[in-house]
Amino acid sequence: MTEAEASPAGPVRRWPRRLRRLAVAGLVVLVLASSPWLWTTLAARGHLYAAADSPAADVVIVLGTEVAADRQRPGDRLAGRLDTAAELVTSGRAKVVLVSGDGGGASGDEPAVMTTYLAERGVDRRRVVADPFGLDTYDSCARAREVYGVERALIVTQSYHLSRAVTLCRQFGLDVDGVTARCDGCGAALLAEKSVRDYFASGKAAWDAVRDRPPAVRSPADPAIQNALRG
C-alpha cells in the first residue's frame, strides 16, 4: 500500500478522538452552565412541602407575579399562590401573610391586589402585610429579613420557582421552608416555559448572592409583621 493510498485513513481514525474531546468539552460546559441551577436545587432539598404536609411558621411569604388584565384580580398563577397561603392561615400553619411584589408593576399593583384577594378568602386584613418593593425574588427575600425582621417563615410559589426562592431566602439567614402553590390554570406548555426560564434565572440568583447585591429599594426597619402578630 502506498503512502497516498494510506493517507485518507488518517482523518478517519482521528475523527472519533476529536468527537470524544468535543463531547467532553460540551459536558464540562453544560455542568458549569448548570451549576447555579444545581445550587438552587440541592440547597433547597429537605425544605420543600405540599400545603397539606407543611410545617408551621408565624409568617408565610407570598411572592408576587402578574395580575389579571383588569388590574384588579390576580392572574392564575398568583391566585394559586394566594389560595395556598390562605389555606395555610386557615389551617393554623401560619398567622401572618407577607405579600411581596411590585407595587408599580406593568400589570398593576401586585401587593394591593394580593391583599384584597386574601381578604375575600377570609384572611383578616390586619394579618396581611404588603411589601410593594419586592421587585424580584432576591429583593423579596432580602427585604423580608432586613426590613421586616422575619427570621422564620414559609414561602409560597409554584414548583418551578420554589427551589430558587427557598435557596435565596436561606442565603439571607431566613429559616424558610417552601410550600408548593396551586397552579390550576397552568398548562403543560406554560409550566415547561417557566421551568426553562427559572433554569436561566438561577444564574442571576447565584451572581446576586455571590456579590451580595443590595435590594433595589432600601427601607428602614418596619415593625408591621411584629405588630400583626401581636394584633
Side-chain angles (χ1 to χ4, degrees):
M1 182 181 293
T2 66
E3 184 178 348
E5 291 172 329
S7 62
V12 173
R13 286 194 299 269
R14 286 196 297 270
W15 267 113
R17 183 179 299 173
R18 290 176 180 173
L19 288 174
R20 286 195 297 270
R21 288 175 178 172
L22 286 172
V24 170
L27 181 61
V28 170
V29 170
L30 179 62
V31 170
L32 291 175
S34 299
S35 56
W37 176 82
L38 289 170
W39 168 62
T40 60
T41 300
L42 295 176
R45 291 185 68 177
H47 299 288
L48 308 179
Y49 296 88
D53 302 320
S54 170
D58 283 346
V59 180
V60 55
I61 302 169
V62 184
L63 299 175
T65 188
E66 292 180 349
V67 303
D70 65 2
R71 303 171 71 89
Q72 303 299 317
R73 310 289 299 173
D76 288 338
R77 287 178 294 130
L78 186 52
R81 298 177 190 186
L82 295 166
D83 287 338
T84 303
E87 179 183 339
L88 293 171
V89 172
T90 56
S91 67
R93 288 184 167 89
K95 299 176 182 177
V96 170
V97 185
L98 174 60
V99 292
S100 183
D102 189 346
S107 68
D109 187 338
E110 294 171 8
V113 170
M114 295 161 79
T115 300
T116 298
Y117 187 86
L118 285 171
E120 292 171 351
R121 294 299 181 277
V123 179
D124 188 341
R125 282 182 179 267
R126 293 173 298 178
R127 297 285 183 172
V128 181
V129 175
D131 178 7
F133 299 118
L135 306 184
D136 60 14
T137 305
Y138 182 94
D139 282 15
S140 290
C141 290
R143 290 177 56 82
R145 183 71 181 92
E146 297 173 3
V147 176
Y148 295 97
V150 178
E151 297 181 354
R152 162 75 183 144
L154 305 174
I155 190 164
V156 174
T157 186
Q158 273 76 30
S159 58
Y160 56 80
H161 181 204
L162 194 57
S163 290
R164 179 162 61 92
V166 167
T167 297
L168 282 174
C169 279
R170 296 186 75 83
Q171 185 73 16
F172 281 99
L174 277 79
D175 179 11
V176 164
D177 288 309
V179 181
T180 304
R182 300 176 188 174
C183 204
D184 297 337
C186 301
L190 176 65
L191 290 175
E193 174 195 339
K194 294 299 181 183
S195 295
V196 171
R197 178 187 179 280
D198 209 77
Y199 172 86
F200 289 105
S202 63
K204 179 180 181 298
W207 176 238
D208 284 343
V210 165
R211 64 192 179 101
D212 196 22
R213 173 178 72 82
V217 178
R218 306 300 293 265
S219 304
D222 189 331
I225 293 287
Q226 288 72 29
N227 292 341
L229 287 171
R230 287 195 295 266

